[in-house]
């Protein structure tokens, strides 16, 4: 809409409100990770692990009923989630790994022998938090691009690099921490995207929008 020449200027403020960039709390992983941790607590308490109930060994069933191993596993996962949440606030990548805080997931059969309790109780599937962060940053990027386009309405294309640079860090490229890129030749305002490389607005790698009139 913002790239259309026939857009009524009275609509621009409303579009800007709809395209409000994410704030720091919304960009963090606290909400989804709290939800995931609650699920893991439930899985441990009910004995629902990576194996179906009928496939669990007798030893796994015994371990599942011991309070100390369960608490040890949950404490390790809680420390892991807290570390990842802090990293997401500061954009400190790559994110911490669960193996740093617990002896899971097992890398070999030897891990089952050395840390049987951790690996019997650990849920099998884990979300890819790096992918989650990238998807969240992509969403935030599109919202920031829309806001910058709205601010640029009524100015010349040559002013767009200056507008992007002076917009402030809340409207910088989340993937690079720098002002959004501008290609006047291709008529695009763009972010470097997931690969964090400047591909000149190539839609296969960068997140771009047409500058419009």
């Amino acid at each position: 809409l913002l790239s259309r020449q026939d857009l009524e200027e009275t609509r621009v403020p409303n579009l800007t409100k709809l395209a409000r960039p994410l704030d720091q709390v919304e960009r963090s992983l606290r909400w989804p990770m709290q939800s995931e941790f609650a699920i893991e607590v439930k899985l441990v308490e009910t004995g629902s692990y990576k194996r179906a109930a009928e496939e669990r060994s007798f030893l796994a069933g015994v371990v599942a009923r011991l309070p100390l191993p369960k608490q040890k596993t949950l404490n390790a996962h809680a420390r892991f989630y807290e570390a990842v949440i802090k990293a997401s606030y500061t954009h400190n990548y790559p994110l911490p790994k669960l193996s740093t805080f617990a002896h899971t997931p097992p890398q070999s059969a030897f891990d089952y022998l050395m840390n049987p309790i951790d690996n019997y109780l650990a849920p099998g599937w884990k979300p890819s938090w790096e992918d989650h962060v990238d998807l969240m940053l992509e969403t935030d990027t599109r919202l920031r691009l829309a806001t910058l386009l709205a601010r640029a309405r009524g100015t010349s294309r040559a002013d767009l690099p200056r507008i992007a640079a002076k917009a402030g860090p809340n409207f910088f490229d989340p993937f690079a921490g720098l002002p959004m890129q501008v290609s006047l030749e291709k008529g695009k305002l763009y972010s470097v995207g997931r690969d964090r490389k400047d591909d000149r607005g190539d839609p296969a790698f960068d997140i771009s929008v047409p500058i419009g009139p």
Side-chain angles (χ1 to χ4, degrees), residues 147-158:
T147 300
L148 289 174
L149 280 182
R151 291 186 175 188
R153 298 274 306 183
T155 65
S156 68
R157 287 189 173 192

Side-chain angles (χ1 to χ4, degrees), residues 50-141:
K50 57 187 174 182
R51 299 182 182 88
E54 62 274 9
E55 296 176 349
R56 290 204 308 274
S57 67
F58 172 76
L59 178 58
V62 172
V63 171
R65 290 171 173 80
L66 300 176
L68 289 180
K70 287 195 294 186
Q71 191 60 50
K72 177 176 178 292
T73 298
L74 292 176
N75 288 344
H77 282 69
R79 292 193 300 271
F80 162 68
Y81 282 136
E82 189 62 30
V84 176
I85 289 169
K86 289 181 179 178
S88 72
Y89 274 124
T90 59
H91 297 284
N92 185 18
Y93 303 113
L95 296 176
K97 302 295 183 182
L98 176 59
S99 57
T100 306
F101 300 85
H103 301 290
T104 57
Q107 304 299 314
S108 65
F110 184 73
D111 287 336
Y112 278 109
L113 296 175
M114 294 300 297
N115 305 288
I117 293 177
D118 290 344
N119 288 304
Y120 273 125
L121 293 180
W125 178 83
K126 297 292 180 190
S128 174
W129 295 113
E130 287 82 1
D131 287 344
H132 187 100
V133 169
D134 284 344
L135 286 170
M136 187 164 48
L137 291 181
E138 284 184 357
T139 300
D140 195 26
T141 297

Side-chain angles (χ1 to χ4, degrees), residues 158-183:
D159 286 336
L160 192 52
R162 177 183 58 81
I163 293 173
K166 289 189 174 182
N170 287 336
F171 297 95
F172 282 3
D173 184 350
F175 289 101
L178 299 170
M180 295 290 185
Q181 301 290 326
V182 180
S183 174

Side-chain angles (χ1 to χ4, degrees), residues 23 26 44-45 75 90 115 129 142 172-173 176 185-186:
D23 60 30
E26 291 168 334
V44 171
E45 289 178 345
N75 288 344
T90 59
N115 305 288
W129 295 113
R142 297 182 191 282
F172 282 3
D173 184 350
E185 178 186 355
K186 296 183 178 179

